[in-house]
């Protein structure tokens, strides 16, 4: 399933062609095309390369992917919270603070 991506819009804002962006990243133009349509999820190095070029985080360039990952992680966080049960030891309380911070960030994140 394709993900929302703002790579094409950002590339065009800077008047770069797909071949030029591909050259900057050391990849093929066809990879850029697939990323722009959301058919290819970029790896970490490629996402960071786009951040170096455009000065925008992978979260900003790939909001659909970020949202999908966030949903998955938050589902797992809820499962961890349930598994912690009613324990009150230091480690459990520390984990709960992290889970609470995660939930606040998720609630505050702009929708894709």
């Amino acid at each position: 399933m394709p993900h929302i991506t703002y790579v094409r819009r950002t590339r065009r804002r800077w008047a770069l062609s797909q071949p030029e962006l591909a050259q900057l990243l050391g990849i093929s133009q066809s990879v850029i095309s697939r990323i722009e349509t959301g058919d290819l999820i970029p790896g970490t190095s490629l996402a960071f390369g786009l951040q170096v070029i455009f000065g925008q985080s992978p979260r900003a360039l790939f909001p659909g992917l970020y949202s999908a990952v966030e949903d998955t992680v938050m589902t797992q966080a809820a499962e961890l919270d349930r598994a912690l049960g009613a324990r009150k030891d230091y480690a459990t309380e520390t984990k709960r603070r992290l889970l609470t911070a995660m939930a606040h960030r998720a609630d505050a994140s702009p929708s894709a």
Side-chain angles (χ1 to χ4, degrees):
M1 166 190 283
H3 288 283
I4 297 168
T5 172
Y6 294 131
V7 174
R8 176 178 286 135
R9 180 179 76 179
T10 305
R11 173 182 60 78
R12 287 179 174 171
R13 183 181 317 133
W14 291 102
L16 285 174
S17 66
Q18 284 185 344
E20 289 168 334
L21 180 56
Q23 180 182 4
L24 289 171
L25 292 166
I27 59 175
S28 71
Q29 179 271 327
S30 65
V31 171
I32 295 296
S33 178
R34 292 179 61 213
I35 288 170
E36 287 185 352
T37 61
D39 291 330
L40 178 68
I41 296 173
T44 306
S45 294
L46 188 53
F48 285 154
L50 290 165
Q51 182 172 359
V52 169
I53 293 167
F54 297 127
Q56 290 186 308
S57 70
R59 178 182 185 172
L61 291 170
F62 303 98
L65 178 58
Y66 183 90
S67 180
V69 169
E70 182 180 61
D71 289 347
T72 299
V73 170
M74 294 310 295
T75 298
Q76 297 297 91
E79 289 180 21
L80 176 58
D81 186 52
R82 283 190 297 278
L84 292 173
R87 294 185 306 222
K88 297 289 185 185
D89 60 277
Y90 174 79
T92 300
E93 293 301 318
T94 301
K95 291 171 191 172
R96 283 228 160 80
R97 283 194 303 276
L98 173 63
L99 296 174
T100 299
M102 290 168 58
H104 287 298
R105 285 192 300 270
D107 288 342
S109 69
S111 58

